[in-house]
């Protein structure tokens, strides 16, 4: 028994049986003398419903999940190269792929669907989350700024002191105008492009704000659900202990009842014998008269 094997079985099993299966595995490890492994097993967190869905996807149909993780690598590369056109194209591919994965999943509540979507976006945004997802060992939604790599960043990357020539060329059409060489059509195209880029930045900011608010709501819902889970798990443990105590008392009562029944049968037999002897003695007295 090792932690990787146990984790794989737990996160690949029935979500409803996770806690009992985890406790049983920890108990087995402790019985085998491996207290360190038992402690590590006890620390394994039960996954949320959304995380369990993604874990199941990693086992049943990992190709799209792997494609999403690879797309995240491409997005990070494009971001490093400041390749705006590539980022926009990759962002569209990311959105289409997430929607396709969601469409292929079984029907779920709106809340769980949003958590699954946030988790899938995190797979593309964060290599560590992607690794856990592909291993099928996620425990919860990765709440983070998941649109970091999906569209052009609303804030500029750290300055190096110089602006890339390609971006300078796009951002400074006014130089040609001052030189008296700009054509009206080019000026109009540049102006239109500037407006489109401003609109794109506004859209990115709005989407970022929407995702942040949604992530905050999901975090609140998860906190409430986690508190409910702890409370119900404690209540279930107490109820189980109560049932075991009642079962022990019932077994003891049944044992006493069996002993009492046996004693009653013995006493009844002695009474019958004494009664018969008494009747015989009375008859003997009557005959003697």
């Amino acid at each position: 028994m090792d932690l990787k094997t146990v984790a794989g079985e737990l996160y690949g099993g029935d979500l409803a049986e996770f806690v009992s299966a985890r406790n049983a595995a920890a108990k087995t490890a402790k019985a085998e003398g491996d207290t360190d492994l038992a402690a590590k097993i006890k620390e394994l967190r039960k996954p949320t419903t959304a995380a369990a869905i993604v874990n199941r996807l990693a086992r049943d149909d990992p190709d799209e999940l792997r494609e999403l993780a690879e797309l995240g690598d491409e997005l990070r590369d494009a971001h490093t190269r400041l390749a705006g056109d590539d980022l926009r194209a990759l962002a569209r591919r990311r959105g289409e792929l997430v929607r396709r994965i969601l469409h292929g999943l079984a029907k779920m509540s709106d809340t769980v669907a949003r958590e699954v979507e946030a988790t899938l976006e995190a797979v593309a945004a964060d290599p560590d989350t992607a690794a856990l997802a592909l291993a099928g060992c996620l425990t919860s939604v990765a709440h983070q700024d998941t649109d970091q790599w999906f569209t052009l960043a609303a804030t500029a990357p750290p300055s190096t002191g110089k602006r890339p020539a390609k971006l300078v060329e796009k951002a400074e059409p006014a130089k040609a105008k001052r030189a008296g060489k700009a054509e009206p059509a080019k000026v109009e195209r540049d102006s239109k492009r500037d407006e489109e880029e401003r609109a794109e930045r506004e859209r990115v900011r709005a989407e970022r704000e929407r995702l942040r608010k949604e992530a905050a709501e999901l975090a609140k819902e998860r906190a409430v659900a986690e508190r409910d889970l702890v409370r119900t798990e404690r209540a279930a443990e107490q109820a189980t202990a109560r049932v075991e105590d009642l079962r022990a008392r019932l077994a003891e009562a049944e044992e006493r009842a069996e002993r009492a029944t046996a004693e009653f049968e013995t006493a009844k037999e002695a009474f019958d014998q004494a009664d018969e002897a008494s009747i015989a003695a009375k008859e003997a007295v009557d005959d003697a008269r």
Side-chain angles (χ1 to χ4, degrees), residues 9 12 100 115 119 132 147 161 216 225 227 231 234 236 238 240 253-254 279 289:
E9 292 176 353
R100 188 167 72 242
E115 287 194 1
T119 303
L132 285 172
D147 66 334
R227 286 196 298 270
R231 185 170 58 253
R234 187 180 299 115
Q238 292 173 349
T240 299
E254 288 176 344
I279 293 173
R289 290 179 183 174

Side-chain angles (χ1 to χ4, degrees), residues 2-12 18 44 59 136-137:
D2 58 77
L3 185 62
K4 182 177 180 181
T5 301
V6 172
E9 292 176 353
L10 289 175
Y11 290 113
F18 182 91
L44 293 175
R59 288 170 170 80
C137 292

Side-chain angles (χ1 to χ4, degrees), residues 186-197:
K186 184 177 184 302
V187 172
E188 184 177 351
R189 286 196 302 272
D190 290 341
S191 177
K192 184 177 180 181
R193 183 170 58 235
D194 289 343
E195 291 179 4
E196 290 175 349
E197 289 179 353

Side-chain angles (χ1 to χ4, degrees), residues 124-137:
D126 179 42
D128 293 335
T129 302
L132 285 172
L134 290 171
C137 292

Side-chain angles (χ1 to χ4, degrees), residues 170-216:
K170 289 184 177 181
E172 300 179 358
K175 286 186 177 180
K177 183 176 181 180
R178 286 196 298 270
K181 297 181 181 179
E183 297 179 2
K186 184 177 184 302
V187 172
E188 184 177 351
R189 286 196 302 272
D190 290 341
S191 177
K192 184 177 180 181
R193 183 170 58 235
D194 289 343
E195 291 179 4
E196 290 175 349
E197 289 179 353
R198 281 195 296 272
E200 176 69 10
R201 288 194 294 271
E202 280 299 319
R203 189 193 69 77
V204 169
R205 280 194 288 270
E207 179 68 8
R208 182 188 297 273
E209 185 63 23
R210 183 188 71 80
L211 287 173
R212 283 176 177 168
K213 289 180 179 179
E214 194 169 278

